[in-house]
Amino acid sequence: MRFVLASQSPARLQTLRSAGVEPEVIVSGVDEDNVTAESPGELARLLAVLKARAVVAELDDHATVLGCDSVLEIDGVAYGKPGTPEVARERLRSMRGQTGVLHTGHCLFDTESKTEQRELASTKVFFADLTDEEIDAYVATGEPLVVAGSFTVDGFGGPFVTGIEGDYHNVVGLSLPLLRTMLAKVGIAWPALWAPPKNRLEYNESEAARYDDTRGGTQRAQAAAQAVQELLPEGSSRVLELAVGTGSVGAELVALGNLVHGFDLSTAMLQHAKVRLPGHIAAADATRLPVADRRTDAVIAIWLLHLLYDSAPIFAEVARVLRPGGVFLTTTEKNDATRYAEGREPNSSRAQDSLTRLVAEAAVHGLVLDGATTFPGPVRTAGAAPIYPLVRFRLT
């Protein structure tokens, strides 16, 4: 399941991560300053809807998209992000000792069922009677300039909130209980979002049939194969491909003069791969290959390691089957490549395909980083194409 958060808020992302959910983040680009509504609550809900719809319009595949926006209301007045220190300082002075209501609009758009839900969660917030010195110091941190209402409850501003009535997470920017209810209405149980990454390796026939079209097709496969060819040792012609998928990259490598043997756990994917690599594919776990020790010159893995809980067993198996001087080629930091292309920050979680992690795990098995190149990937949303790193480890 593709679950997308249509918000650039670090607090919302962290709230989901703390609850065991790792969403895909796509920033909507909605101009919040030019949107108006009849009330602060309706403004928050409308902005959430606009964010979700803007992201849905850019999708090329089914997804469940969550748009959120928060607005603080005090005495009927809506307070969004102040933007400048002067505005933040003025607002905080008017808010001290007051009680406000933090409204967070939630819009959940499920493209599979074509349903859109628009909900509002509101929480009462009690503010401390801040001194001018405290306000100046708080504004100097920069935090109140970029958050609704000029305060946070989960950061530097936490000590200045004396109490809340309602959902704490809603004040942070996203109501988890409300989101759980909204997901249930489109048939998604909350625990389904906790599904381990290994589930992403399982494909049914429908997914396998459209896999190439949704991943860049022949153009992407050719770019990946050319990058692999660049790093293959001279004279090496026999290649083992882990997670061969539909065999699109393997077929391009064959066209470049290599003999490719592909392994995968997905029966649906292998049905397509056997057409492209007849007689040279097998159903096998990448950590238990049906290959004798020290029999292989090159092993490749294109977009595999980022899907795993633990990439260490892959390195152990690769080191077993490689001859001394043999190489392991793998993509690295896949998700961050897409995030950079879309102008977003890198993922703060420790991905299994991060280069630092791979270098450390490879060293344990006598594999040393000694080469690298890149190749372009398909554009998933508006913007530049991601550039994927491909690195080479050599068995010493």
Side-chain angles (χ1 to χ4, degrees):
M1 182 182 66
R2 189 180 180 191
F3 179 58
V4 177
L5 175 63
S7 171
Q8 63 182 348
S9 165
R12 292 191 182 103
L13 177 58
Q14 188 56 53
T15 296
L16 287 169
R17 284 178 172 168
S18 297
V21 179
E22 183 63 43
E24 177 182 348
V25 177
I26 301 178
V27 179
S28 67
V30 170
D31 185 358
E32 302 177 24
D33 295 334
N34 292 322
V35 179
T36 60
E38 295 181 355
S39 68
E42 286 306 310
L43 177 61
R45 180 155 36 198
L46 176 58
L47 286 169
V49 171
L50 293 176
K51 287 181 178 181
R53 290 180 178 178
V55 169
V56 168
E58 298 292 335
L59 296 178
D60 56 7
D61 199 359
H62 284 304
T64 301
V65 179
L66 174 66
C68 290
D69 199 89
S70 297
V71 174
L72 176 67
E73 177 183 1
I74 298 180
D75 296 330
V77 178
Y79 294 92
K81 301 171 184 175
T84 68
E86 293 74 22
V87 174
R89 193 174 291 109
E90 179 183 349
R91 288 185 181 178
L92 288 165
R93 286 173 178 168
S94 67
M95 288 163 51
R96 54 186 171 191
Q98 299 294 312
T99 301
V101 178
L102 197 289
H103 301 288
T104 297
H106 299 66
C107 178
L108 191 73
F109 198 113
D110 183 67
T111 64
E112 190 91 47
S113 60
K114 295 182 173 59
T115 59
E116 180 184 80
Q117 300 176 59
R118 301 175 292 277
E119 300 290 348
L120 182 70
S122 302
T123 304
K124 187 177 289 188
V125 183
F126 302 89
F127 296 103
D129 189 6
L130 282 71
T131 66
D132 288 345
E133 292 75 16
E134 286 175 321
I135 291 175
D136 290 341
Y138 184 36
V139 172
T141 68
E143 182 181 85
L145 277 63
V146 294
V147 291
S150 309
F151 82 100
T152 67
V153 71
D154 61 331
F156 286 112
F160 306 137
V161 176
T162 60
I164 64 171
E165 286 183 6
D167 180 6
Y168 166 83
H169 294 105
N170 187 60
V171 182
V172 178
L174 187 161
S175 173
L176 293 175
L178 176 58
L179 176 58
R180 170 181 167 272
T181 301
M182 296 172 77
L183 287 166
K185 290 180 179 179
V186 292
I188 301 174
W190 181 260
L193 298 181
W194 299 338
K198 65 180 181 179
N199 286 357
R200 287 180 282 175
L201 297 174
E202 300 168 4
Y203 299 91
N204 59 34
E205 178 51 42
S206 175
E207 292 169 326
R210 59 191 179 91
Y211 182 86
D212 290 342
D213 290 338
T214 59
R215 302 301 196 283
T218 301
Q219 184 176 2
R220 181 218 66 171
Q222 289 176 341
Q226 288 289 346
V228 169
Q229 186 71 18
E230 180 181 333
L231 294 181
L232 284 175
E234 187 175 349
S236 174
S237 62
R238 186 183 298 273
V239 178
L240 300 187
E241 183 177 4
L242 310 183
V244 68
T246 62
S248 59
V249 175
E252 296 298 333
L253 286 171
V254 170
L256 293 172
N258 300 284
L259 177 61
V260 179
H261 301 281
F263 303 98
D264 207 297
L265 282 175
S266 170
T267 302
M269 289 292 212
L270 289 173
Q271 290 299 315
H272 294 267
K274 73 179 183 180
V275 177
R276 288 171 165 153
L277 301 169
H280 294 278
I281 62 161
D285 189 324
T287 64
R288 294 189 297 275
L289 296 173
V291 179
D293 295 356
R294 304 289 186 263
R295 294 295 180 89
T296 305
D297 291 322
V299 180
I300 69 170
I302 306 297
W303 295 323
L304 168 64
L305 302 187
H306 71 289
L307 297 172
L308 307 177
Y309 267 141
D310 186 5
S311 55
I314 299 292
F315 280 96
E317 187 68 351
V318 166
R320 180 185 70 79
V321 302
L322 281 178
R323 294 189 179 98
V327 298
F328 176 42
L329 312 183
T330 180
T331 46
T332 177
E333 301 184 356
K334 174 184 184 292
N335 292 331
D336 276 352
T338 301
R339 296 172 72 90
Y340 283 128
E342 295 173 353
R344 295 185 283 142
E345 293 297 316
N347 196 329
S348 62
S349 65
R350 298 179 63 191
Q352 284 295 322
D353 71 335
S354 70
L355 185 57
T356 302
R357 181 189 291 268
L358 298 189
V359 170
E361 291 179 349
V364 172
H365 301 285
L367 289 156
V368 178
L369 180 67
D370 79 337
T373 188
T374 62
F375 63 93
V379 179
R380 294 190 65 87
T381 58
I387 302 299
Y388 295 112
L390 181 73
V391 295
R392 179 176 67 196
F393 293 95
R394 189 179 297 275
L395 185 66
T396 58

